[in-house]
Amino acid sequence: MTLTTSLLSGSRTGSATNTTTTTLFGLALVGILVVGLWSMLQLTPTGDIVWRLYVAEQMAHGKVIYQDVIETNPPLWFWAALPWYYVGTLLGVAPYQVLVVGVTGLAMSAIWTLNRLTRELVPTGQRQVLLLAFALSYVILPLGETGQREHAFFVASVLWTALAVARMEGKPISSAGLLITLGFSAYGFALKHVFVLVPLLIEGCMMARLRRAYRPIRFETLGLAAAAVLYTIALILFAQDFFSRIVPMVMVAYSNFGPVMQLAPSRRLSFILGTTSFAIIPFVMALLAWDKRSLTLGLLVTLTAMLLAIWLQMKGWRYHMLAAQGLSLMLVVSIGAKMVAERRWVVATLAALGLALLSHQAIYKPINRVLLTKGQPVFPTLRKFVNNEPKDSRIAILSISPEHAFYIVRILDRPIISRHYGMWMLVGLEVPQADPKKEAFRKMELDRVRREYIADLTCRPPDVVVEEYGRVFANRLVSFNTLSYLREDPDFDAWFAKHYRFDKPLGYRQFAWRLKGERPKDQACERNP
């Protein structure tokens, strides 16, 4: 007996069949979790994850986020990383190892909850296949990006949708499943403002479906609202600099940063639509199968909200796609399982082809890239250069790319020179603003970022400085040189000319400068990374 047998027999399986099917399901699930955990432990996490854990470490040591360490995201993602750091410190292991073990545990909790919520919505065999697809999407698909915000957004969205569908269908809901769903959702939806599109669209569908029977005041909605209020209070009390500095800077600079901004304006929309084309597959499959199950329709609504979130961000980074890719995979698998159960072999075959195409685009290609680079998206020339420097050498890399500015020195265990993740904001700050208020803030922030970098470099002078020259699109073509930007300050220019000499080009528009003699003595810093 197999899962296929269980699918074909629907929910009318005998006890022996059920036992065998459950055993096979359990073995497959354990296999996914074990392979996922092993794979996560083999990889060095990508830049944002390393930065997240570094910021948590700094906060644990008493540093103040947005002052001692400059970050542009709301603080919840970093506050939530503190337990991984503290447990890692207690056990004497790296926080990332604690993170991936914790994510595996959370995956088990989420799988159990989804099983409870869908118990009376989907027959046993189909539900088990759906749960395996959920586990694969949560543990395997995000390899290299484990712990990203979209990673948490995915599980929150799936559980919230399943809960809403169970509510609409009048199915019983366990208290434990309800509380776990609320916990995942309160955290996942709060990580980015665009993530609230999922509960908003789901509520709209519930209102349209239930009409007069619709009840907006429910345990989960009250809990979500209470969590939002508490988070807002925490922001006001503990992260006022986020509102006073970070939000205005993001409004001015962030929209001009990212891979989409490297393209001409006429190509940006087509690029984003192309990168999300994988989502066409589940919609086409649902139409071909005419799958009108409430859970399928609810997940399609959620997928629509996820796509809107991607399009509104207009960035094109791989991790922005994680939630939508995972949900697309779940939908195609769920629809295919239903077609097998109904012996609709033509549509089931099309679903298998769709799954193969989706797996190649959303799983194989990105994961293969992660495995080939071991999760380290750094130019080999720069990595080799840093590796060849003496172990006690301080290296400051002035780059708009955080992978080069912060990530490369961090993963190679070198001292962190700057309070900034990188000079990403320069791309946007170099572009004049039509709004007088934004233009005034742009000039102020351009000067402040320069002063902060100068303070960091002069209070703890590096042995080597790597400058970067480049050109990017940011509403118009912008050329910049990171070191020249700092040397616009006459005092720093004189200090740098006194202590450093040009060494050699490194390739990819990067150039190295070295100390002429002994390193200048450290000075009292306004902050110490």
Side-chain angles (χ1 to χ4, degrees):
M1 297 296 180
T2 64
L3 282 176
T4 304
T5 308
S6 180
L7 286 175
L8 292 173
S9 58
S11 59
R12 298 181 297 278
T13 53
S15 58
T17 302
N18 280 335
T19 301
T20 305
T21 300
T22 301
T23 301
L24 290 173
F25 164 72
L27 290 173
L29 182 58
V30 169
I32 291 173
L33 295 174
V34 170
V35 169
L37 178 59
W38 180 85
S39 300
M40 287 185 285
L41 289 173
Q42 300 309 304
L43 293 173
T44 301
T46 50
D48 282 356
I49 307 303
V50 175
W51 173 250
R52 179 195 184 196
L53 295 172
Y54 169 78
V55 173
E57 177 185 342
Q58 298 307 297
M59 290 192 294
H61 291 163
K63 304 298 171 58
V64 180
I65 191 171
Y66 312 123
Q67 293 181 16
D68 301 317
V69 57
I70 306 297
E71 166 54 39
T72 57
N73 290 291
L76 179 60
W77 194 44
F78 304 96
W79 289 343
L82 284 168
W84 310 129
Y85 172 77
Y86 285 125
V87 172
T89 302
L90 183 66
L91 298 178
V93 298
Y96 176 69
Q97 295 176 325
V98 181
L99 167 66
V100 297
V101 172
V103 164
T104 306
L106 290 172
M108 295 171 64
S109 173
I111 292 164
W112 179 88
T113 303
L114 183 60
N115 180 59
R116 296 285 295 183
L117 293 174
T118 58
R119 178 168 292 181
E120 297 191 30
L121 296 173
V122 184
T124 301
Q126 297 176 41
R127 188 173 70 253
Q128 290 173 338
V129 172
L130 178 67
L131 293 173
L132 292 177
F134 178 64
L136 188 70
S137 298
Y138 189 43
V139 177
I140 303 292
L141 188 147
L143 281 179
E145 300 286 0
T146 302
Q148 257 295 0
R149 286 153 293 176
E150 278 71 11
H151 193 199
F153 175 47
F154 165 71
V155 65
S157 299
V158 171
L159 295 183
W160 186 268
T161 304
L163 174 60
V165 171
R167 289 283 195 202
M168 285 191 287
E169 296 297 319
K171 304 300 182 182
I173 297 169
S174 72
S175 299
L178 181 60
L179 289 171
I180 293 172
T181 299
L182 179 57
F184 275 108
S185 301
Y187 172 65
F189 294 145
L191 290 171
K192 287 186 181 180
H193 62 287
V194 292
F195 290 172
V196 299
L197 286 170
V198 167
L200 288 177
L201 260 64
I202 290 295
E203 285 300 301
C205 290
M206 290 184 71
M207 186 185 303
R209 166 81 180 275
L210 298 177
R211 298 181 183 274
R212 293 184 177 181
Y214 171 68
R215 297 292 181 268
I217 308 300
R218 308 187 302 277
F219 178 84
E220 62 269 25
T221 56
L222 286 175
L224 208 60
V229 170
L230 290 174
Y231 182 38
T232 302
I233 293 173
L235 284 172
I236 294 172
L237 292 178
F238 304 112
Q240 293 184 9
D241 293 296
F242 175 73
F243 297 105
S244 62
R245 178 182 182 184
I246 302 304
V247 171
M249 184 169 73
V250 167
M251 292 177 65
V252 170
Y254 186 68
S255 62
N256 293 323
F257 182 71
V260 177
M261 300 311 298
Q262 311 301 314
L263 304 173
S266 60
R267 294 186 55 199
R268 292 174 192 165
L269 180 60
S270 61
F271 176 83
I272 288 293
L273 292 176
T275 56
T276 55
S277 60
F278 62 84
I280 296 174
I281 298 174
F283 284 100
V284 170
M285 291 311 309
L287 285 173
L288 289 175
W290 202 241
D291 189 345
K292 297 188 291 183
R293 291 176 297 175
S294 54
L295 182 61
T296 300
L297 296 176
L299 292 175
L300 286 172
V301 170
T302 297
L303 179 57
T304 302
M306 290 176 172
L307 293 173
L308 288 173
I310 294 171
W311 298 336
L312 286 172
Q313 291 177 92
M314 189 62 98
K315 288 297 172 186
W317 285 309
R318 183 233 167 180
Y319 73 83
H320 283 183
M321 317 291 171
L322 290 179
Q325 287 175 340
L327 187 52
S328 295
L329 187 143
M330 282 184 63
L331 277 162
V332 172
V333 168
S334 176
I335 294 167
K338 184 175 187 293
M339 295 302 97
V340 171
E342 295 176 357
R343 293 180 169 82
R344 295 171 59 183
W345 302 116
V346 173
V347 183
T349 301
L350 291 175
L353 292 173
L355 179 61
L357 180 61
L358 179 64
S359 298
H360 181 266
Q361 183 177 356
I363 300 179
Y364 171 75
K365 287 175 65 177
I367 289 180
N368 184 57
R369 185 166 59 250
V370 168
L371 292 174
L372 288 175
T373 63
K374 293 188 176 180
Q376 300 173 18
V378 176
F379 290 110
T381 303
L382 182 61
R383 180 181 177 84
K384 182 179 179 181
F385 174 80
V386 175
N387 248 334
N388 288 339
E389 288 296 303
K391 288 299 181 182
D392 60 347
S393 179
R394 294 178 184 172
I395 305 170
I397 303 178
L398 308 177
S399 169
I400 66 163
S401 171
E403 282 80 7
H404 298 152
F406 165 84
Y407 178 69
I408 183 65
V409 293
R410 180 64 174 176
I411 62 171
L412 295 178
D413 197 26
R414 303 306 179 100
I416 304 301
I417 299 298
S418 176
R419 74 194 78 186
H420 286 274
Y421 190 20
M423 301 176 90
W424 67 267
M425 74 294 291
L426 292 186
V427 180
L429 295 177
E430 289 285 346
V431 180
Q433 299 288 313
D435 185 326
K437 291 183 178 179
K438 287 186 177 182
E439 176 63 10
F441 183 86
R442 180 190 75 86
K443 291 180 178 178
M444 179 184 71
E445 195 64 22
L446 195 65
D447 181 64
R448 177 157 53 180
V449 171
R450 181 188 291 111
R451 285 188 284 107
E452 288 173 341
Y453 263 98
I454 289 173
D456 294 342
L457 292 174
T458 54
C459 79
R460 298 184 69 220
D463 297 288
V464 179
V465 176
V466 177
E467 67 172 318
E468 179 181 77
Y469 172 80
R471 297 184 304 166
V472 296
F473 279 104
N475 297 325
R476 62 177 176 78
L477 190 63
V478 173
S479 297
F480 65 91
N481 181 287
T482 53
L483 183 58
S484 296
Y485 159 71
L486 298 183
R487 296 185 73 170
E488 290 174 12
D489 181 284
D491 293 335
F492 177 75
D493 181 59
W495 180 87
F496 191 84
K498 177 182 177 182
H499 295 292
Y500 293 86
R501 60 174 175 80
F502 180 76
D503 183 31
K504 62 182 178 180
L506 300 182
Y508 196 70
R509 307 190 300 271
Q510 293 171 334
F511 307 88
W513 295 72
R514 290 189 181 277
L515 285 168
K516 292 180 179 178
E518 291 188 5
R519 180 196 298 161
K521 292 183 179 180
D522 291 358
Q523 305 296 319
C525 299
E526 57 184 270
R527 35 71 60 202
N528 292 299

